[in-house]
Amino acid sequence: MPQQEDIRLVDIIAGARPNFMKIAPIIRAIEARRAHGSCLGWRLVHTGQHYDARMSADFFEQLNIPEPHVNLEVGSGTQAEQTAAIMVRYEQLLLKERSQLCLVVGDVTSTMACAIVAQKLCIPVAHVEAGIRSGDWTMPEEINRMVTDAITNYFFTTSEVANQNLRHAGVAEGRIFFVGNTMIDTLLANRPRFRPPEFWNRQQLSAGQYVVMTMHRPANVDSEQSLRAVLQAIAAAVRGLKVVFPVHPRTAKTLAALGAVPSNLLLVDPQPYLEFNYLVQHAKAVITDSGGVTEETTVMGIPCITMRNTTERPETVSIGTNELIGTDPDRLAPTLEALFDGRWKRGGIPPLWDGKTSERIAERLEELLDAAVA
Ligand code: UD1
């Protein structure tokens, strides 16, 4: 077993809900290597960007993620307030106890903020899910991706399109590692554990007889008018099916101001991982503005309708079951008609989305850190 002074400490940063499913398998893969004498060590830093049990703790529990070593407890705020709070507190942590590498995942505010802090302290940064781009600068996530990748040392990618984006930005080939998708590691590992939510029987849901919807992007949910139009269009186009709608806290604020919603919409709290993916796996279709959900529906072969104009995950459209229809609610009726008429593509699974991505990442991290101290 390696001595304490030989351990190479990797900070694993997690801040918001979509980060948790990405880090869980990476921690497990590092632990597996440690059990075989690896020098890799890890410290889990939760920034506290998401803090509600339903947005955070439920995921730790269901995905068996260990308690974070540190919680920066930054809480809510504007983009700048959150970024600043995370930076100040993460810098304090690193000044007290440095790590040898900072591993960030995805595209949330915590991803960008911690990458900047680490790199300014000359701690190398590894970015999981690097290189994806929507081209839409109105999304905070796109700014987060661009800034993070501008100061990343090691790029772990999910697709050939991401590799190309990085090459075009001048990233040297030797720093790009095409490893696949850690979110899919979590999906495949937990699929046998998916379970119905407590309202399944009470609401008389059955496989293929309902639609799932999620909606939380500012462009879709911050205005009452646009959210109302979307909800009415969906409710009218689903041929009487129920629409199960786990409501994100951001969306809940606008919904509260809307008053009554169409009666076939079933508004529920944000669902834990196992229940949410049970709902998706048995749905007739999913309507969403999320990115991660389009990857999960692709792997589960469930038709997915994305209400955005762009996607940073084009393989979910070119290979998978996803269709981008834009944000105009009028597009919903013809799209759902195609679905009900059985005119939906079958879809395939993108390369390396095979459940082994985190093992490839852990192996590569060990090589990179070994080379750094050699
Ligand atoms: C963030 C991510 C987004 C991700 C989404 C998933 C950024 C820029 N965006 O957006 O990429 O898809 O998470 O959920 O990082 N709130 C709570 N409880 C919580 C967390 C948030 O009530 O646990 C409230 C906040 O006070 C705020 C709103 O929800 O009013 C939005 O939260 P915020 O973290 O700012 O961004 P998200 O929209 O969740």
Side-chain angles (χ1 to χ4, degrees):
M1 277 292 145
Q3 300 295 309
Q4 189 57 33
E5 58 272 20
D6 296 327
I7 297 290
R8 325 242 206 278
L9 186 64
V10 176
D11 270 350
I12 299 177
I13 309 294
R17 184 171 60 178
N19 289 164
F20 306 138
M21 35 292 218
K22 293 170 194 166
I23 60 148
I26 298 176
I27 291 174
R28 250 192 312 284
I30 292 179
E31 278 296 306
R33 294 193 82 77
R34 277 177 72 90
H36 290 93
S38 164
C39 289
L40 275 182
W42 56 278
R43 173 172 67 179
L44 179 55
V45 179
H46 191 326
T47 65
Q49 180 181 339
H50 282 177
Y51 46 85
D52 284 352
R54 291 204 165 89
M55 301 297 285
S56 177
D58 285 357
F59 288 79
F60 275 70
E61 197 196 310
Q62 288 200 337
L63 301 178
N64 292 316
I65 305 172
E67 275 291 300
H69 296 91
V70 182
N71 192 322
L72 303 178
E73 296 182 343
V74 297
S76 297
T78 65
Q79 292 288 317
E81 284 166 349
Q82 273 186 334
T83 306
I86 296 166
M87 288 182 70
V88 169
R89 294 178 194 193
Y90 185 45
E91 185 183 56
Q92 283 164 353
L93 174 69
L94 287 181
L95 290 175
K96 219 161 54 189
E97 194 187 347
R98 274 179 84 85
S99 57
Q100 265 99 40
L101 185 108
C102 173
L103 182 130
V104 295
V105 300
D107 56 15
V108 302
T109 301
S110 304
T111 309
M112 174 189 73
C114 291
I116 295 173
V117 171
Q119 194 59 262
K120 286 201 172 192
L121 291 172
C122 302
I123 295 170
V125 172
H127 183 199
V128 172
E129 203 183 273
I132 64 176
R133 295 288 182 274
S134 68
D136 178 356
W137 287 21
T138 66
M139 291 175 63
E141 293 82 359
E142 183 71 355
I143 311 290
N144 295 339
R145 292 180 198 118
M146 293 167 69
V147 173
T148 303
D149 284 344
I151 53 169
T152 286
N153 301 78
Y154 309 120
F155 300 82
F156 292 109
T157 62
T158 50
S159 69
E160 185 50 41
V161 176
N163 300 338
Q164 282 296 353
N165 291 339
L166 292 169
R167 287 181 197 120
H168 288 150
V171 175
E173 196 67 41
R175 293 202 285 141
I176 303 172
F177 307 107
F178 179 27
V179 287
N181 194 325
T182 61
M183 202 159 180
I184 302 308
D185 289 2
T186 293
L187 188 79
L188 297 178
N190 288 285
R191 211 168 177 177
R193 299 172 62 220
F194 292 170
R195 59 191 191 200
E198 45 78 26
F199 55 79
W200 178 267
N201 288 333
R202 185 162 29 90
Q203 292 293 339
Q204 298 175 324
L205 297 175
S206 58
Q209 297 303 312
Y210 63 91
V211 169
V212 169
M213 116 173 229
T214 82
M215 204 67 46
H216 73 281
R217 300 273 163 215
N220 286 328
V221 306
D222 280 2
S223 127
E224 285 171 39
Q225 210 181 355
S226 57
L227 184 58
R228 180 181 289 114
V230 168
L231 296 183
Q232 283 172 348
I234 291 176
V238 292
R239 301 194 178 173
L241 293 188
K242 282 196 171 132
V243 179
V244 182
F245 181 13
V247 180
H248 185 282
R250 171 187 285 285
T251 314
K253 288 182 188 165
T254 315
L255 265 182
L258 275 189
V261 296
S263 60
N264 56 336
L265 289 191
L266 180 58
L267 305 185
V268 296
D269 284 329
Q271 292 297 296
Y273 185 82
L274 301 175
E275 285 80 359
F276 180 74
N277 281 295
Y278 183 95
L279 285 167
V280 169
Q281 186 173 23
H282 295 93
K284 176 80 179 166
V286 174
I287 303 172
T288 191
D289 62 0
S290 157
V293 170
T294 67
E295 299 182 336
E296 291 165 339
T297 47
T298 279
V299 170
M300 292 193 269
I302 302 296
C304 182
I305 299 166
T306 296
M307 295 200 66
R308 286 174 48 191
N309 294 312
T310 56
T311 176
E312 60 289 337
R313 295 162 163 92
E315 62 283 355
T316 63
V317 177
S318 61
I319 302 175
T321 52
N322 187 22
E323 278 299 338
L324 272 191
I325 66 161
T327 54
D328 180 356
D330 288 346
R331 292 276 291 119
L332 280 161
T335 307
L336 281 158
E337 204 174 292
L339 172 82
F340 286 117
D341 291 351
R343 288 181 280 118
W344 204 268
K345 57 188 171 181
R346 294 182 67 83
I349 297 184
L352 295 185
W353 291 19
D354 60 358
K356 298 187 166 60
T357 296
S358 302
E359 291 167 28
R360 291 188 276 269
I361 291 175
E363 185 181 356
R364 187 61 75 169
L365 285 176
E366 191 175 314
E367 286 168 12
L368 292 167
L369 285 163
D370 277 349
V373 291

Coordinates of all heavy atoms in Angstrom, one line a residue, residues 25-86:
P25 N -19.6 7.3 -10.3 CA -18.8 6.2 -10.8 C -17.3 6.5 -10.8 O -16.5 5.5 -10.8 CB -19.4 5.9 -12.2 CG -19.9 7.3 -12.6 CD -20.4 7.9 -11.4
I26 N -16.9 7.8 -10.9 CA -15.5 8.1 -10.9 C -14.9 7.8 -9.5 O -13.8 7.2 -9.4 CB -15.3 9.6 -11.3 CG1 -15.8 9.9 -12.7 CG2 -13.8 10.0 -11.2 CD1 -15.7 11.3 -13.1
I27 N -15.6 8.1 -8.5 CA -15.1 7.8 -7.1 C -15.0 6.3 -7.0 O -14.0 5.8 -6.5 CB -16.1 8.4 -6.1 CG1 -16.0 9.9 -6.1 CG2 -15.7 7.9 -4.7 CD1 -17.0 10.6 -5.2
R28 N -16.0 5.6 -7.5 CA -15.9 4.1 -7.4 C -14.7 3.6 -8.1 O -14.0 2.7 -7.7 CB -17.2 3.5 -7.9 CG -18.0 2.9 -6.7 CD -19.1 2.0 -7.2 NE -19.9 2.6 -8.2 CZ -20.9 3.5 -8.0 NH1 -21.1 3.9 -6.8 NH2 -21.6 4.0 -9.0
A29 N -14.5 4.1 -9.3 CA -13.4 3.6 -10.1 C -12.0 3.9 -9.5 O -11.1 3.1 -9.5 CB -13.4 4.2 -11.5
I30 N -11.9 5.1 -8.9 CA -10.6 5.4 -8.2 C -10.5 4.5 -7.0 O -9.4 4.0 -6.7 CB -10.6 6.9 -7.7 CG1 -10.6 7.8 -8.9 CG2 -9.5 7.2 -6.8 CD1 -10.6 9.3 -8.6
E31 N -11.5 4.3 -6.2 CA -11.5 3.4 -5.1 C -11.0 2.0 -5.5 O -10.3 1.3 -4.8 CB -12.8 3.3 -4.4 CG -13.0 4.5 -3.4 CD -12.0 4.5 -2.3 OE1 -11.9 3.5 -1.6 OE2 -11.3 5.5 -2.1
A32 N -11.5 1.5 -6.6 CA -11.2 0.2 -7.1 C -9.7 0.1 -7.4 O -9.0 -0.9 -7.1 CB -12.0 -0.1 -8.4
R33 N -9.1 1.2 -7.9 CA -7.7 1.2 -8.2 C -6.9 1.3 -6.9 O -5.8 0.6 -6.8 CB -7.3 2.4 -9.1 CG -7.9 2.3 -10.5 CD -7.3 3.3 -11.5 NE -6.0 2.8 -12.0 CZ -5.9 1.8 -13.0 NH1 -7.0 1.3 -13.5 NH2 -4.7 1.4 -13.4
R34 N -7.4 2.0 -6.0 CA -6.7 2.1 -4.7 C -6.6 0.7 -4.0 O -5.6 0.4 -3.4 CB -7.5 3.1 -3.7 CG -7.2 4.5 -3.9 CD -8.0 5.4 -3.0 NE -7.6 5.2 -1.6 CZ -6.7 6.0 -1.1 NH1 -6.1 7.0 -1.8 NH2 -6.3 5.9 0.2
A35 N -7.7 0.0 -4.2 CA -7.7 -1.3 -3.5 C -6.6 -2.2 -4.1 O -6.2 -3.2 -3.5 CB -9.1 -2.0 -3.8
H36 N -6.1 -1.9 -5.3 CA -5.0 -2.6 -5.9 C -3.7 -1.8 -5.8 O -2.8 -2.0 -6.6 CB -5.3 -2.9 -7.3 CG -6.4 -3.9 -7.5 ND1 -7.7 -3.6 -7.6 CD2 -6.4 -5.3 -7.4 CE1 -8.5 -4.7 -7.7 NE2 -7.7 -5.8 -7.5
G37 N -3.6 -1.0 -4.8 CA -2.3 -0.3 -4.5 C -2.0 1.0 -5.2 O -0.9 1.5 -5.2
S38 N -3.0 1.5 -5.9 CA -2.8 2.8 -6.6 C -2.5 3.9 -5.7 O -3.0 3.9 -4.5 CB -4.0 3.1 -7.5 OG -4.0 4.5 -7.9
C39 N -1.7 4.9 -6.1 CA -1.5 6.1 -5.3 C -2.5 7.2 -5.4 O -2.4 8.3 -4.9 CB -0.1 6.7 -5.7 SG 1.3 5.7 -5.3
L40 N -3.6 6.9 -6.3 CA -4.6 7.9 -6.4 C -5.4 8.1 -5.1 O -5.8 7.2 -4.5 CB -5.6 7.5 -7.5 CG -5.3 7.7 -9.0 CD1 -6.5 7.2 -9.8 CD2 -5.1 9.2 -9.2
G41 N -5.5 9.4 -4.7 CA -6.4 9.7 -3.6 C -7.4 10.7 -4.1 O -7.3 11.3 -5.1
W42 N -8.5 10.9 -3.3 CA -9.5 11.8 -3.7 C -10.1 12.5 -2.6 O -10.1 12.0 -1.4 CB -10.6 11.1 -4.5 CG -11.3 10.0 -3.8 CD1 -10.8 8.7 -3.7 CD2 -12.5 10.0 -3.0 NE1 -11.6 8.0 -2.9 CE2 -12.7 8.7 -2.5 CE3 -13.4 11.0 -2.8 CZ2 -13.7 8.4 -1.7 CZ3 -14.5 10.7 -2.0 CH2 -14.6 9.4 -1.4
R43 N -10.5 13.8 -2.8 CA -11.2 14.6 -1.8 C -12.5 15.1 -2.5 O -12.4 15.8 -3.5 CB -10.3 15.7 -1.4 CG -11.0 16.7 -0.4 CD -10.0 17.7 0.1 NE -9.4 18.6 -0.9 CZ -8.6 19.6 -0.6 NH1 -8.1 19.7 0.7 NH2 -8.1 20.4 -1.5
L44 N -13.7 14.8 -2.0 CA -14.9 15.3 -2.6 C -15.3 16.6 -2.0 O -15.5 16.8 -0.8 CB -16.0 14.2 -2.3 CG -17.4 14.6 -2.9 CD1 -17.3 14.8 -4.4 CD2 -18.4 13.4 -2.6
V45 N -15.4 17.6 -2.9 CA -15.7 19.0 -2.6 C -17.1 19.3 -3.1 O -17.3 19.3 -4.3 CB -14.7 20.0 -3.1 CG1 -15.1 21.4 -2.7 CG2 -13.3 19.7 -2.6
H46 N -18.1 19.4 -2.2 CA -19.4 19.8 -2.7 C -19.5 21.3 -2.5 O -19.2 21.8 -1.4 CB -20.5 19.1 -1.7 CG -21.9 19.3 -2.2 ND1 -22.4 20.4 -2.8 CD2 -23.0 18.4 -2.1 CE1 -23.7 20.2 -3.1 NE2 -24.0 19.0 -2.7
T47 N -19.8 22.0 -3.5 CA -19.8 23.5 -3.4 C -21.1 24.0 -2.7 O -21.1 25.1 -2.2 CB -19.8 24.2 -4.8 OG1 -21.0 23.9 -5.5 CG2 -18.5 23.8 -5.6
G48 N -22.2 23.2 -2.7 CA -23.4 23.6 -2.1 C -24.3 24.5 -3.0 O -25.2 25.1 -2.6
Q49 N -23.9 24.4 -4.3 CA -24.8 25.2 -5.3 C -26.2 24.7 -5.2 O -27.2 25.5 -5.2 CB -24.2 25.1 -6.7 CG -25.0 25.8 -7.7 CD -24.5 25.7 -9.1 OE1 -23.3 25.4 -9.3 NE2 -25.3 25.9 -10.1
H50 N -26.4 23.4 -5.2 CA -27.7 22.8 -4.9 C -27.6 22.2 -3.5 O -26.7 21.6 -3.1 CB -28.1 21.7 -5.9 CG -28.6 22.2 -7.2 ND1 -28.9 21.5 -8.3 CD2 -28.8 23.5 -7.6 CE1 -29.3 22.2 -9.3 NE2 -29.2 23.5 -8.9
Y51 N -28.7 22.5 -2.7 CA -28.6 22.2 -1.3 C -29.9 21.5 -0.8 O -29.9 20.9 0.3 CB -28.4 23.5 -0.5 CG -29.3 24.6 -1.0 CD1 -30.6 24.8 -0.5 CD2 -28.9 25.5 -2.0 CE1 -31.4 25.7 -1.0 CE2 -29.7 26.5 -2.5 CZ -31.0 26.6 -2.0 OH -31.8 27.5 -2.5
D52 N -31.0 21.7 -1.5 CA -32.3 21.0 -1.1 C -32.0 19.5 -1.1 O -31.3 19.0 -2.0 CB -33.4 21.2 -2.0 CG -34.0 22.6 -1.9 OD1 -33.6 23.3 -0.9 OD2 -34.8 23.0 -2.7
A53 N -32.7 18.8 -0.1 CA -32.5 17.3 -0.1 C -32.9 16.7 -1.5 O -32.2 15.8 -2.0 CB -33.4 16.7 1.0
R54 N -33.9 17.2 -2.1 CA -34.4 16.7 -3.4 C -33.5 17.0 -4.5 O -33.6 16.3 -5.6 CB -35.8 17.2 -3.7 CG -36.9 16.6 -2.7 CD -38.2 16.6 -3.4 NE -39.1 15.8 -2.6 CZ -39.8 16.2 -1.6 NH1 -39.8 17.5 -1.2 NH2 -40.6 15.4 -0.9
M55 N -32.7 18.0 -4.4 CA -31.7 18.3 -5.5 C -30.3 17.8 -5.2 O -29.5 17.8 -6.1 CB -31.6 19.8 -5.6 CG -32.9 20.6 -5.9 SD -33.7 20.1 -7.5 CE -32.6 20.9 -8.6
S56 N -30.1 17.3 -4.0 CA -28.7 16.9 -3.6 C -28.6 15.7 -2.8 O -28.3 14.6 -3.3 CB -28.0 18.1 -2.9 OG -26.7 17.8 -2.5
A57 N -29.1 15.8 -1.5 CA -28.8 14.6 -0.6 C -29.5 13.3 -1.1 O -28.9 12.2 -0.9 CB -29.4 15.0 0.8
D58 N -30.6 13.4 -1.7 CA -31.3 12.2 -2.2 C -30.4 11.4 -3.2 O -30.4 10.2 -3.3 CB -32.6 12.5 -2.9 CG -33.7 12.9 -1.9 OD1 -33.5 12.8 -0.7 OD2 -34.8 13.2 -2.4
F59 N -29.6 12.2 -4.0 CA -28.8 11.6 -5.0 C -27.6 11.0 -4.3 O -27.1 9.9 -4.8 CB -28.4 12.7 -6.0 CG -29.5 13.1 -6.9 CD1 -30.5 13.9 -6.5 CD2 -29.6 12.5 -8.2 CE1 -31.6 14.3 -7.3 CE2 -30.7 12.8 -9.0 CZ -31.7 13.7 -8.5
F60 N -27.0 11.6 -3.3 CA -25.9 11.0 -2.6 C -26.3 9.7 -2.0 O -25.6 8.7 -2.1 CB -25.4 12.0 -1.5 CG -24.4 13.0 -2.0 CD1 -24.8 14.0 -2.8 CD2 -23.1 12.9 -1.7 CE1 -23.9 15.0 -3.3 CE2 -22.2 13.9 -2.1 CZ -22.6 14.9 -3.0
E61 N -27.5 9.7 -1.4 CA -28.0 8.4 -0.8 C -28.2 7.3 -1.8 O -27.7 6.2 -1.7 CB -29.2 8.8 0.0 CG -29.6 7.7 1.0 CD -31.0 7.9 1.4 OE1 -31.4 9.0 1.8 OE2 -31.7 6.9 1.4
Q62 N -29.0 7.7 -2.8 CA -29.3 6.6 -3.8 C -28.1 6.1 -4.6 O -28.1 4.9 -5.0 CB -30.4 7.1 -4.8 CG -31.8 7.3 -4.1 CD -32.9 7.3 -5.2 OE1 -32.6 7.6 -6.3 NE2 -34.1 7.0 -4.7
L63 N -27.2 7.0 -4.9 CA -26.1 6.6 -5.7 C -24.9 6.2 -4.9 O -23.8 6.0 -5.4 CB -25.7 7.7 -6.7 CG -26.8 8.1 -7.6 CD1 -26.4 9.3 -8.5 CD2 -27.3 7.0 -8.5
N64 N -25.1 6.1 -3.6 CA -24.0 5.6 -2.6 C -22.8 6.5 -2.8 O -21.6 6.0 -2.8 CB -23.6 4.2 -2.9 CG -24.7 3.3 -2.5 OD1 -25.3 3.5 -1.4 ND2 -25.0 2.3 -3.3
I65 N -23.0 7.8 -2.9 CA -21.8 8.7 -2.9 C -21.4 9.0 -1.5 O -22.3 9.3 -0.7 CB -22.2 10.0 -3.7 CG1 -22.7 9.7 -5.1 CG2 -21.0 10.9 -3.8 CD1 -23.3 10.9 -5.8
P66 N -20.1 8.9 -1.2 CA -19.7 9.1 0.2 C -20.0 10.6 0.6 O -20.1 11.5 -0.3 CB -18.2 8.9 0.2 CG -17.9 8.1 -1.1 CD -19.0 8.5 -2.0
E67 N -20.1 10.8 1.9 CA -20.2 12.2 2.4 C -19.1 13.0 1.8 O -17.9 12.6 1.8 CB -20.0 12.2 3.9 CG -21.2 11.9 4.7 CD -22.2 13.0 4.6 OE1 -21.9 14.1 5.0 OE2 -23.4 12.7 4.2
P68 N -19.4 14.2 1.4 CA -18.3 15.1 0.9 C -17.3 15.4 2.1 O -17.7 15.5 3.2 CB -19.0 16.4 0.5 CG -20.4 16.1 0.3 CD -20.7 14.9 1.2
H69 N -16.0 15.5 1.7 CA -15.0 15.8 2.7 C -15.2 17.3 3.1 O -15.0 17.7 4.3 CB -13.6 15.7 2.2 CG -13.2 14.3 1.8 ND1 -13.4 13.7 0.6 CD2 -12.7 13.3 2.6 CE1 -13.1 12.4 0.6 NE2 -12.6 12.2 1.8
V70 N -15.7 18.1 2.1 CA -15.8 19.5 2.4 C -17.1 20.0 1.7 O -17.4 19.5 0.6 CB -14.7 20.3 1.7 CG1 -14.8 21.8 2.0 CG2 -13.3 19.8 2.2
N71 N -17.9 20.8 2.4 CA -19.1 21.4 1.8 C -18.9 23.0 1.8 O -18.8 23.5 2.9 CB -20.4 21.0 2.4 CG -21.6 21.4 1.6 OD1 -21.6 22.5 1.0 ND2 -22.6 20.6 1.5
L72 N -18.8 23.6 0.7 CA -18.5 25.0 0.7 C -19.8 25.8 1.0 O -19.7 27.1 1.2 CB -17.9 25.5 -0.7 CG -16.6 24.8 -1.1 CD1 -16.2 25.3 -2.5 CD2 -15.5 25.0 -0.1
E73 N -21.0 25.2 0.9 CA -22.2 25.8 1.4 C -22.5 27.2 0.8 O -22.9 28.1 1.5 CB -22.3 25.9 2.9 CG -22.3 24.5 3.5 CD -22.4 24.5 5.0 OE1 -22.1 25.5 5.6 OE2 -22.7 23.4 5.6
V74 N -22.4 27.3 -0.5 CA -22.5 28.6 -1.1 C -24.0 29.0 -1.3 O -24.3 30.2 -1.3 CB -21.8 28.8 -2.5 CG1 -20.3 28.6 -2.3 CG2 -22.3 27.8 -3.5
G75 N -24.9 28.0 -1.5 CA -26.3 28.3 -1.7 C -26.7 29.1 -2.9 O -25.9 29.2 -3.9
S76 N -27.8 29.7 -2.9 CA -28.4 30.4 -4.1 C -27.8 31.8 -4.3 O -27.2 32.3 -3.4 CB -29.9 30.5 -4.0 OG -30.5 29.3 -4.0
G77 N -28.0 32.3 -5.5 CA -27.5 33.7 -5.8 C -27.5 33.9 -7.3 O -27.9 33.0 -8.0
T78 N -27.2 35.1 -7.7 CA -27.0 35.3 -9.1 C -25.8 34.6 -9.6 O -25.0 34.0 -8.9 CB -26.8 36.8 -9.4 OG1 -25.5 37.2 -8.9 CG2 -27.9 37.7 -8.8
Q79 N -25.7 34.5 -11.0 CA -24.5 33.8 -11.6 C -23.2 34.3 -10.9 O -22.4 33.6 -10.5 CB -24.5 34.1 -13.1 CG -25.6 33.4 -13.8 CD -25.5 31.9 -13.9 OE1 -24.4 31.4 -14.1 NE2 -26.6 31.2 -13.7
A80 N -23.1 35.7 -10.9 CA -21.8 36.2 -10.4 C -21.7 36.0 -8.9 O -20.6 35.7 -8.4 CB -21.8 37.7 -10.6
E81 N -22.8 36.1 -8.1 CA -22.7 35.8 -6.7 C -22.2 34.4 -6.4 O -21.4 34.2 -5.5 CB -24.0 36.1 -6.0 CG -24.3 37.6 -5.8 CD -25.8 37.9 -5.5 OE1 -26.6 36.9 -5.6 OE2 -26.1 39.0 -5.2
Q82 N -22.9 33.5 -7.1 CA -22.5 32.1 -6.9 C -21.0 31.8 -7.3 O -20.3 31.2 -6.6 CB -23.4 31.1 -7.7 CG -24.7 30.8 -7.0 CD -25.5 29.8 -7.8 OE1 -25.4 29.7 -9.0 NE2 -26.3 29.0 -7.1
T83 N -20.7 32.3 -8.5 CA -19.3 32.1 -8.9 C -18.3 32.7 -7.9 O -17.3 32.0 -7.6 CB -19.1 32.8 -10.3 OG1 -20.1 32.4 -11.2 CG2 -17.7 32.5 -10.9
A84 N -18.6 33.9 -7.5 CA -17.6 34.5 -6.5 C -17.5 33.8 -5.2 O -16.4 33.5 -4.7 CB -18.1 36.0 -6.3
A85 N -18.7 33.4 -4.7 CA -18.7 32.6 -3.4 C -17.9 31.3 -3.5 O -17.1 31.0 -2.6 CB -20.1 32.4 -2.9
I86 N -18.2 30.6 -4.6 CA -17.5 29.3 -4.8 C -16.0 29.6 -4.9 O -15.1 28.9 -4.3 CB -18.0 28.6 -6.0 CG1 -19.5 28.2 -5.9 CG2 -17.1 27.3 -6.3 CD1 -20.1 27.8 -7.2

